[in-house]
Amino acid sequence: KNGWYEFHLRLVGDDIKENIEKRIALNVPQIQKSSNSVIVDKQGRTLINGKKFLPIGLFFNQMGPSFTASGNYWRQEEFDNLKDSPFNCIMPYDAMLWKRKGSPLKGLAETCAIMDELNRIGIKVIFSLKDIGIHTGWDQLDGHKGVDAVTRYIVGNLRNHPALLAWYLNDEQPAKRFYREQRERIARLDPWHPTWQCHYNVIEMPRVAGESDIFGVDPYPISDKNSDMSIIKLYFENAKKIFASEYGTAIWGVIQIFSFSNYDKKRPY
């Protein structure tokens, strides 16, 4: 039967001294399947409307210092560069704040317009909700205030957008009950798009299990003259052991193609 189910499991026995409990949430979608549904199969492959899709994307941020001189606006050259690139998706940190110079649109309407253009050039969007409820100022949009209201407003309006690929929930932050609650909130609103989180701390990996549908690791090995690729092997092997094997969670890896010297001029790489 369609609906939302919660299973509360507790391990009991005469020889068990500590309280071991686990809560599992199961969503059997009540919302009609969207025309841009994204699911992950048993092999961890991403499928869009049943067709295999390998996300090869870029993290994006229009609000960074390098964009300040141009007013933090989307520029046509960025659309052109994406269109002619080998990438097929982006993960913009600031999609809630997107704007184009001279556009009469504001707020989510402007974001939708930019996503329309991205869809036209074949670019999918992993929409970031990671700052809602975590950082000041991100829990209000177009008159909606609070984590629940803003999340419902964004997800409710974008869940059927053809450019939407997934929802980004956590960027290297420690496990919190909030992230699990946010994942379940989004699953109720949009069961046809997965949630994604990304971490570099191996110790934190088991703690964040269950806080997203897809897990991401972002080891950045190119940092100094002693850097090597061993860190990538360590991260991915641990992630596979914890998520792909034990939890059946898909893994989207984040590969370094940037230089730390862009952020700190004193760093050589």
Side-chain angles (χ1 to χ4, degrees), residues 13-198:
D14 295 336
D15 58 341
I16 298 176
K17 297 181 181 181
E18 60 180 301
N19 187 29
I20 302 176
E21 296 186 11
K22 187 173 182 65
R23 172 181 169 277
I24 301 175
L26 175 63
N27 184 21
V28 182
Q30 301 179 72
I31 298 175
Q32 184 177 358
K33 191 174 183 178
S34 66
S35 59
N36 67 331
S37 64
V38 179
I39 64 173
V40 177
D41 67 12
K42 292 181 179 180
Q43 285 73 44
R45 299 173 300 188
T46 304
L47 306 177
I48 300 180
N49 290 331
K51 185 178 180 180
K52 286 182 285 188
F53 179 86
L54 177 63
I56 303 176
L58 295 167
F59 278 76
F60 237 65
N61 186 9
Q62 302 293 116
M63 304 306 292
S66 61
F67 290 94
T68 301
S70 62
N72 300 110
Y73 294 108
W74 262 92
R75 296 171 297 205
Q76 184 58 45
E77 65 185 83
E78 289 154 0
F79 291 113
D80 296 338
N81 289 338
L82 283 170
K83 181 181 178 181
D84 297 331
S85 77
F87 302 103
N88 58 21
C89 62
I90 59 173
M91 203 308 293
Y93 287 108
D94 58 336
M96 288 174 59
L97 306 176
W98 274 350
K99 58 183 179 179
R100 297 165 299 172
K101 193 171 185 178
S103 173
L105 301 176
K106 295 182 179 181
L108 197 60
E110 177 72 329
T111 294
C112 285
I114 293 175
M115 287 182 66
D116 289 343
E117 177 64 14
L118 290 169
N119 180 62
R120 188 186 68 79
I121 62 175
I123 299 295
K124 296 291 185 182
V125 176
I126 302 171
F127 199 97
S128 177
L129 300 173
K130 75 176 186 68
D131 295 298
I132 300 177
I134 301 298
H135 296 113
T136 303
W138 290 82
D139 57 350
Q140 51 186 334
L141 181 66
D142 296 348
H144 300 270
K145 296 182 179 181
V147 173
D148 185 71
V150 172
T151 301
R152 287 180 179 276
Y153 176 58
I154 294 174
V155 176
N157 280 280
L158 295 182
R159 62 190 177 194
N160 292 317
H161 197 287
L164 181 64
L165 178 61
W167 303 103
Y168 191 52
L169 296 190
N170 186 340
D171 188 89
E172 302 179 343
Q173 296 302 305
K176 289 184 180 180
R177 181 178 178 180
F178 168 79
Y179 292 117
R180 187 180 296 270
E181 293 173 345
Q182 185 73 326
R183 176 201 182 183
E184 294 175 4
R185 178 183 289 111
I186 293 169
R188 287 185 172 95
L189 296 168
D190 180 16
W192 298 111
H193 290 94
T195 50
W196 183 42
Q197 61 175 318
C198 201

Side-chain angles (χ1 to χ4, degrees), residues 174-243:
K176 289 184 180 180
R177 181 178 178 180
F178 168 79
Y179 292 117
R180 187 180 296 270
E181 293 173 345
Q182 185 73 326
R183 176 201 182 183
E184 294 175 4
R185 178 183 289 111
I186 293 169
R188 287 185 172 95
L189 296 168
D190 180 16
W192 298 111
H193 290 94
T195 50
W196 183 42
Q197 61 175 318
C198 201
H199 291 271
Y200 67 90
N201 189 338
V202 174
I203 297 176
E204 195 69 22
M205 288 182 183
R207 300 171 184 165
V208 299
E211 293 185 356
S212 67
D213 302 306
I214 300 172
F215 185 76
V217 287
D218 57 350
Y220 299 145
I222 308 171
S223 58
D224 57 51
K225 63 181 181 180
N226 297 316
S227 299
D228 59 44
M229 298 292 284
S230 62
I231 187 174
I232 292 183
K233 185 173 186 290
L234 171 67
Y235 277 50
F236 276 87
E237 284 186 348
N238 277 275
K240 183 178 180 181
K241 183 186 302 181
I242 295 169
F243 293 93

